[in-house]
């Protein structure tokens, strides 16, 4: 059956407060601090340090550590104790989804950006380092194998040195390991227990200086680029933990004992306390990240040739699959007050199959019965993954997909990753092993539409 028609888009709005509206409206940033002991990340105003709110709902994070932004600007939190990487939408800082589920690495704790699309991720318990692609969220290769007997207790502040090597602090081995990320060759940069080192947590390069937080000595030590101790920059900092850059001349340093964040001047190491002790119930401050707000434009944008479409249907659930045999599309609709239900016509679009491979990923395939302006929707397939975490999906993670006793975990929002930006699926589970599936997608390209 061939029909020429137009399909209008469905737009969903959110009631979440935009991140740029949090805190002082005159301040351009927010400070995010990992609060390890109460399993959350605290959000503070980036200028006056006032506590705003927690980043995550209860149960999402467990032992949060390193924080970074991916190539799209979304926030990624390394959740050490439940072995995950969790993504938060940069616009609202409210929508959470698991991008790395348990099974890839136990106790991930630290990361270093290799480039815009890849990171190096290190594990505290297995002492391994992998290269991870942040589009597919799959391991590219192993940089340092697990249980390597070269280092013990990789901690939060692994760093990339000016020579292109990874410098890795070993909290339990009281050492720093140098790793060539290209070939995996290693060498002891600071041997166990030498040069005053005691439970190192973070490394920061400042020109020819290598600053290391020594948790056991309550200090920040300075070494040269040959690993020789030079002097002590900071004394009596109980719980010295994370170091991150804060502009060209300052660093932010967390204390997991004082539960505070200090801003040090790299010229003379004078400091100001920007997050007071225990502010917002901060407990176990390990990592701090300054997030720049995204300022929206208030200009009205004129849009032409909008190509969005949506297709929906009720399918049957069998095992780990959903089959929709009567996928439908409509024509005749108009926006707002111009909508007339008597103008709507319903067309048999085709069928769609979603086959889950784990709690958060599936293979999607489809075959369409119709053409649009002589251009067929056709048939194809591609992988999809969960866009936002929900309680049934989290329960599937905790129990394991082979042990879940219902299909509630299938419900949620899914998309095809950055290569399929702007389209996705919603799945709503019904009684009697049925599911509503809606596909928000685009029209086939046609000339002179």
């Amino acid at each position: 059956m061939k029909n020429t028609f137009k399909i209008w888009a469905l737009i969903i709005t959110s009631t979440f407060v935009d991140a740029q509206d949090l805190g002082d409206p005159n301040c351009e940033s927010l400070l995010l601090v990992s609060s390890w002991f109460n399993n959350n990340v605290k959000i503070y105003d980036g200028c006056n340090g006032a506590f705003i709110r927690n980043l995550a709902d209860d149960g999402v994070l467990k032992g949060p550590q390193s924080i970074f932004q991916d190539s799209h600007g979304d926030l990624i939190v390394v959740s050490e104790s439940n072995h995950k990487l969790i993504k938060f939408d940069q616009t609202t800082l409210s929508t959470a989804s698991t991008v790395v589920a348990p099974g890839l690495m136990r106790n991930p704790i630290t990361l270093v950006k290799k480039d815009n699309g890849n990171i190096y991720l290190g594990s505290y318990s297995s002492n391994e380092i992998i290269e991870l692609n942040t589009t597919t969220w799959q391991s590219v290769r192993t940089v340092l194998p697990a249980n390597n007997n070269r280092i013990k207790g990789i901690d939060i502040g692994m760093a990339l040195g000016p020579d292109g090597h990874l410098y890795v602090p070993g909290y339990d081995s009281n050492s720093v390991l140098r790793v060539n990320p290209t070939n995996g060759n290693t060498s002891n940069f600071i041997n166990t227990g030498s040069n005053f080192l005691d439970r190192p947590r973070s490394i920061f390069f400042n020109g020819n200086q290598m600053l290391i937080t020594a948790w056991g000595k309550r200090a920040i030590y300075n070494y040269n680029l040959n690993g020789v101790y030079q002097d002590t920059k900071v004394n009596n900092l109980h719980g010295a933990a994370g170091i991150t850059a804060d502009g060209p001349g300052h660093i932010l340093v967390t204390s997991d004992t004082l539960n505070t964040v200090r801003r040090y001047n790299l010229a003379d190491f004078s400091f100001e306390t920007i997050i007071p002790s225990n502010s917002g119930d901060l407990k176990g401050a390990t990592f701090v990240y300054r997030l720049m707000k995204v300022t929206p434009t208030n200009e009205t944008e004129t849009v032409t040739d909008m190509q969005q479409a949506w297709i929906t249907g009720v399918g049957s659930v069998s095992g780990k699959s959903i089959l929709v045999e009567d996928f439908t599309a409509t024509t005749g609709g108009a926006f707002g007050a111009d909508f007339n239900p008597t103008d709507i016509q319903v067309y048999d679009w085709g069928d769609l199959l979603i086959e889950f491979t784990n709690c958060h990923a599936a293979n999607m395939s489809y075959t369409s019965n119709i053409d649009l302006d002589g251009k067929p929707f056709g048939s194809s397939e591609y992988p999809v993954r969960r866009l936002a975490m929900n309680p049934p999906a989290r329960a599937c993670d905790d129990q394991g997909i082979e042990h879940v006793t219902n299909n509630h975990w299938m419900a949620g929002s899914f998309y095809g990753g950055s290569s399929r930006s702007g389209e996705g699926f919603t799945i709503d589970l019904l009684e009697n092993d049925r599911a509503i599936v809606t596909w928000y997608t685009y029209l086939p390209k046609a000339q002179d539409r």
Side-chain angles (χ1 to χ4, degrees):
M1 177 177 68
K2 291 188 177 181
N3 295 281
T4 301
F5 59 91
K6 302 290 184 182
I7 306 175
W8 297 91
L10 176 67
I11 300 173
I12 301 175
T13 59
S14 171
T15 58
F16 291 127
V17 176
D18 283 351
Q20 64 267 6
D21 295 327
L22 296 175
D24 185 342
N26 297 314
C27 185
E28 297 180 344
S29 66
L30 302 168
L31 286 174
L32 300 139
V33 185
S34 294
S35 185
W36 200 90
F37 285 111
N38 51 23
N39 298 316
N40 223 311
V41 171
K42 304 291 181 176
I43 303 177
Y44 301 89
D45 185 89
C47 297
N48 60 34
F51 174 69
I52 298 172
R53 66 169 172 85
N54 288 335
L55 174 65
D57 293 334
D58 290 344
V60 174
L61 298 172
K62 190 173 182 182
Q65 297 279 19
S66 297
I67 302 169
F68 80 107
Q69 285 179 274
D70 66 13
S71 58
H72 302 290
D74 292 323
L75 203 71
I76 309 296
V77 179
V78 177
S79 187
E80 178 190 7
S81 300
N82 58 5
H83 323 292
K84 299 179 181 179
L85 269 63
I86 307 293
K87 180 176 75 171
F88 295 85
D89 174 75
Q90 80 166 124
T91 304
T92 64
L93 299 183
S94 296
T95 304
S97 60
T98 298
V99 292
V100 173
L104 179 71
M105 173 181 282
R106 289 195 59 80
N107 302 112
I109 187 171
T110 182
L111 62 88
V112 171
K113 276 190 171 184
K114 175 187 177 183
D115 50 40
N116 202 37
N118 291 61
I119 60 172
Y120 299 115
L121 183 68
S123 161
Y124 175 81
S125 60
S126 65
N127 301 300
E128 67 179 312
I129 301 171
I130 64 171
E131 183 179 333
L132 184 70
N133 183 276
T134 58
T135 297
T136 64
W137 296 106
Q138 299 296 313
S139 175
V140 176
R141 62 190 178 91
T142 297
V143 176
L144 184 67
N147 308 314
N148 51 74
N149 295 318
R150 300 292 293 161
I151 193 167
K152 187 174 182 180
I154 291 177
D155 216 316
I156 192 170
M158 180 170 68
L160 196 64
D163 58 357
H165 288 67
L166 288 169
Y167 289 79
V168 188
Y171 182 88
D172 295 318
S173 56
N174 297 317
S175 64
V176 173
L177 185 69
R178 178 166 53 195
V179 181
N180 185 327
T182 302
N183 57 26
N185 289 343
T186 64
S187 60
N188 292 326
F189 187 74
I190 299 178
N191 290 317
T192 298
S194 65
N195 287 321
F196 305 97
L197 201 59
D198 187 354
R199 284 166 282 183
R201 298 215 64 185
S202 289
I203 297 169
F204 180 83
F205 286 94
N206 177 42
N208 293 324
Q209 296 179 338
M210 181 183 186
L211 305 177
I212 304 178
T213 53
W215 191 93
K217 294 293 187 180
R218 306 172 181 175
I220 299 177
Y221 290 142
N222 173 34
Y223 298 82
N224 66 22
L225 299 185
N226 293 316
V228 178
Y229 170 80
Q230 302 297 295
D231 57 2
T232 300
K233 294 299 184 183
V234 175
N235 276 306
N236 299 316
L237 178 55
H238 293 234
I243 305 178
T244 55
D246 196 37
H250 294 82
I251 53 174
L252 299 175
V253 181
T254 62
S255 164
D256 64 13
T257 303
L258 300 176
N259 298 311
T260 187
V261 177
R262 294 178 177 180
R263 186 173 192 256
Y264 284 90
N265 188 317
L266 287 170
D268 58 8
F269 282 86
S270 59
F271 73 90
E272 58 178 324
T273 299
I274 58 173
I275 306 296
S277 293
N278 305 113
S279 174
D281 195 33
L282 181 62
K283 292 180 181 179
T286 58
F287 195 89
V288 57
Y289 185 84
R290 187 178 292 277
L291 177 69
M292 302 309 296
K293 295 179 182 178
V294 178
T295 304
T297 177
N298 292 321
E299 296 179 0
T300 300
E301 184 178 1
T302 300
V303 178
T304 59
D305 195 29
M306 187 174 285
Q307 299 293 306
Q308 291 176 298
W310 63 282
I311 312 159
T312 190
V314 176
S316 58
V317 179
S318 177
K320 299 180 180 66
S321 299
I322 301 173
L323 175 62
V324 183
E325 295 184 291
D326 297 312
F327 231 21
T328 60
T330 60
T331 67
F335 179 74
D338 293 327
F339 182 84
N340 185 344
T342 62
D343 293 337
I344 301 299
Q345 297 184 60
V346 179
Y347 294 86
D348 175 13
W349 186 90
D351 57 60
L352 175 136
L353 176 64
I354 298 175
E355 299 175 290
F356 284 89
T357 55
N358 61 45
C359 297
H360 310 296
N363 293 315
M364 183 279 297
S365 58
Y366 64 87
T367 300
S368 178
N369 303 322
I370 61 176
D371 291 356
L372 175 63
D373 294 343
K375 290 286 186 177
F377 284 86
S379 62
S380 189
E381 60 182 299
Y382 62 85
V384 297
R385 64 176 186 261
R386 191 178 298 279
L387 177 63
M389 181 65 75
N390 57 31
R394 191 175 300 121
C396 181
D397 257 353
D398 295 339
Q399 298 173 32
I401 193 170
E402 66 276 9
H403 300 301
V404 292
T405 57
N406 56 53
N407 53 29
H408 298 169
W409 55 272
M410 292 181 176
S413 299
F414 297 81
Y415 78 126
S418 60
S419 64
R420 309 290 306 190
S421 180
E423 69 172 11
F425 298 82
T426 60
I427 300 173
D428 190 14
L429 272 296
L430 306 175
E431 296 178 338
N432 302 319
D433 292 324
R434 295 180 303 154
I436 300 174
V437 179
T438 302
W439 185 5
Y440 304 98
T441 183
Y442 296 92
L443 302 172
K445 281 192 172 181
Q447 300 298 321
D448 303 319
R449 177 171 303 146

